[in-house]
């Protein structure tokens, strides 16, 4: 570790892996013949998305001590993400994730993270807590709470952060990583006490709060301790409510969906960029929605993350639909 903290606009902590996505659309996995290999995992993707928007980013995670781990280091560097806190675990292979692509809204995921994913082997003593405290935004995920020692390391990082700057809890509910929702809820509640922003879709908000109606979810998240609640509603857009009473409800951006996976991570990277830039809540949500829509219109996740000009151009096109009418919505 460095003697003095390295400042980053954004440090994320959590899942990384290799995405192996079919190069055929509408084909079940048993019949798929070719795949593309991409960097994946929500924490890594959010860091990539923010780096594409010009932010200095780093990720805290672990890979296997294998060729896929080497690939992930190289991919992070290629995307401009600092990999100093990405370390190997000899005992477990780097995870791979497969998906099936059935647009517009069916993208089954198959996680290969057994016997255990190395990104769940993050230990508190390995953390650079000074750098975590110094970061403009620190971002953690629900998956990081699913097993020890990652669970304790994540909560210890949040305590050390002590709500310095902006601390985002990506609710990131993946039922296959937990025995049942009741096991997750106490850890979600504890993480919310230390976060300033909570982000999740309705399923994830229900796990965290026990309620599902969007406005009720937002209020419950605020009551749990955050200052900003961001509730993603799919085809109904996104609702964001700040503790100071500011509220933004933004519709989705129309696109022809190719692969909906990764859209949430693009949303997250753009959300971080907007928060760091001091944009209004509504402008932040509009740009984050557009970033997510752009990734949904592309095959990959990490390599599909948009630059600022692409987001600006999509918002301009959405504001002036063609005479032929709008395309299908994401």
């Amino acid at each position: 570790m460095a003697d003095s903290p390295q400042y980053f606009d954004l440090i994320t902590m959590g899942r990384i892996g290799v995405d192996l996505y079919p190069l055929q659309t509408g084909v079940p996995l048993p019949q798929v013949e070719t795949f593309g290999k991409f960097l994946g995992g929500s924490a890594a993707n959010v860091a990539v998305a923010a780096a594409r928007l010009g932010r200095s980013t780093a990720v805290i995670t672990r890979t296997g001590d294998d060729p896929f781990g080497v690939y992930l280091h190289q991919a992070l560097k290629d995307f401009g993400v600092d990999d100093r806190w990405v370390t190997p675990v000899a005992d477990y292979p780097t995870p791979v994730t497969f998906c099936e692509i059935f647009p517009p809204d069916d993208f089954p995921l198959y996680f290969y993270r057994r016997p255990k994913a190395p990104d769940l082997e993050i230990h508190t003593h390995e953390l650079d807590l000074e750098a975590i405290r110094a970061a403009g935004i620190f971002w953690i995920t629900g998956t990081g709470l699913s097993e020890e020692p990652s669970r304790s390391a994540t909560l210890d990082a949040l305590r050390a952060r002590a709500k310095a700057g902006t601390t985002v809890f990506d609710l990131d509910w993946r039922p296959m990583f937990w025995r049942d929702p009741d096991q997750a809820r106490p850890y979600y509640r504890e993480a919310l006490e230390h976060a300033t922003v909570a982000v999740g879709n309705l399923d994830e908000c229900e796990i965290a709060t026990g309620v599902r109606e969007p406005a009720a979810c937002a209020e419950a998240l605020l009551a749990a301790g955050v200052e900003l609640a961001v509730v993603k509603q799919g085809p109904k857009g996104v609702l964001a409510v700040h503790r100071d009473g500011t509220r933004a409800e933004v519709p989705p951006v129309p696109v022809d969906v190719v692969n909906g996976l990764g859209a949430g991570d693009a949303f997250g990277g753009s959300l971080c960029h907007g928060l760091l830039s001091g944009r209004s809540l509504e402008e932040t949500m509009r740009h984050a929605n557009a970033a997510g829509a752009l990734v949904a219109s592309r095959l990959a996740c990490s390599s599909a993350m948009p630059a600022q000009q692409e987001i600006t151009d999509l918002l301009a096109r959405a504001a002036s639909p063609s005479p032929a009418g709008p395309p299908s919505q994401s």
Side-chain angles (χ1 to χ4, degrees):
M1 292 184 185
D3 293 331
S4 59
Q6 167 73 47
Y7 175 81
F8 290 96
D9 291 325
L10 169 66
I11 296 176
T12 67
M13 178 175 174
R15 195 167 70 248
I16 195 171
V18 176
D19 287 345
L20 295 173
Y21 284 179
L23 299 182
Q24 294 86 44
T25 298
V27 179
L29 271 182
Q31 280 73 55
V32 172
E33 295 183 354
T34 55
F35 296 84
K37 174 168 60 71
F38 309 98
L39 178 146
S42 59
N45 280 338
V46 169
V48 169
R52 276 281 171 89
L53 296 172
R55 294 297 173 179
S56 59
T57 70
V59 59
I60 301 168
T61 190
R62 306 196 73 183
T63 70
D65 189 8
D66 53 27
F68 274 149
V70 174
Y71 161 71
L72 292 175
H73 275 278
Q74 187 58 59
L76 287 170
K77 291 175 183 177
D78 289 346
F79 287 127
V81 177
D82 195 293
D83 66 341
R84 71 183 63 194
W85 298 306
V86 182
T87 56
V89 178
D91 294 339
Y92 303 120
T94 298
V96 296
T97 302
F98 291 88
C99 78
E100 295 175 303
I101 301 177
F102 297 106
D105 58 5
D106 186 17
F107 308 100
L109 275 171
Y110 303 91
F111 291 97
Y112 289 77
R113 292 170 58 86
R114 295 299 176 195
K116 185 179 185 179
D119 56 57
L120 295 174
E121 279 291 304
I122 301 171
H123 295 260
T124 297
H125 69 82
E126 300 167 332
L127 299 177
D128 188 337
L129 296 177
E130 289 188 22
I132 288 171
R133 280 190 288 266
I137 295 178
F138 179 52
W139 177 290
I140 64 104
T141 73
T143 296
L145 300 172
S146 64
E147 289 191 42
E148 293 290 1
S150 172
R151 176 186 299 146
S152 291
T154 300
L155 293 172
D156 287 341
L158 288 173
R159 294 186 194 101
R161 173 79 171 170
K163 295 194 176 186
T166 299
T167 303
V168 181
F169 180 16
D170 174 4
L171 302 179
D172 183 41
W173 169 247
R174 303 287 181 175
M176 66 286 293
F177 300 159
W178 298 83
R179 287 196 303 273
D180 59 65
D182 289 336
Q183 180 199 19
R185 287 192 174 103
Y187 303 114
Y188 271 57
R189 283 197 297 270
E190 185 171 355
L192 285 168
E193 293 174 4
H194 300 287
T196 62
V197 180
V199 184
N201 61 32
L202 292 177
D203 290 338
E204 293 165 336
C205 290
E206 186 175 15
I207 293 298
T209 67
V211 296
R212 189 171 180 85
E213 192 277 325
C217 287
E219 292 304 319
L221 290 169
L222 294 174
V226 303
E227 297 173 9
L228 174 63
V230 180
V231 182
K232 295 183 284 189
Q233 306 175 73
K236 294 186 178 179
V238 61
L239 169 67
V241 182
H242 196 280
R243 183 180 297 279
D244 66 8
T246 307
R247 177 187 178 100
E249 191 156 12
V250 176
V253 179
V255 293
D256 289 318
V257 174
V258 174
N259 183 359
L261 303 174
D265 300 331
F267 180 101
S270 182
L271 169 66
C272 291
H273 181 57
L275 293 173
L276 290 164
S277 300
R279 289 174 174 163
S280 71
L281 188 59
E282 180 160 342
E283 185 181 9
T284 296
M285 293 302 117
R286 287 192 183 280
H287 280 252
N289 256 1
L294 281 165
V295 171
S297 70
R298 300 166 176 174
L299 172 65
C301 295
S302 53
S303 60
M305 296 300 172
Q308 181 58 57
Q309 191 59 52
E310 294 177 285
I311 296 171
T312 301
D313 290 348
L314 177 60
L315 287 171
R317 291 196 301 271
S320 303
S322 66
S328 59
Q329 286 193 353
S330 63

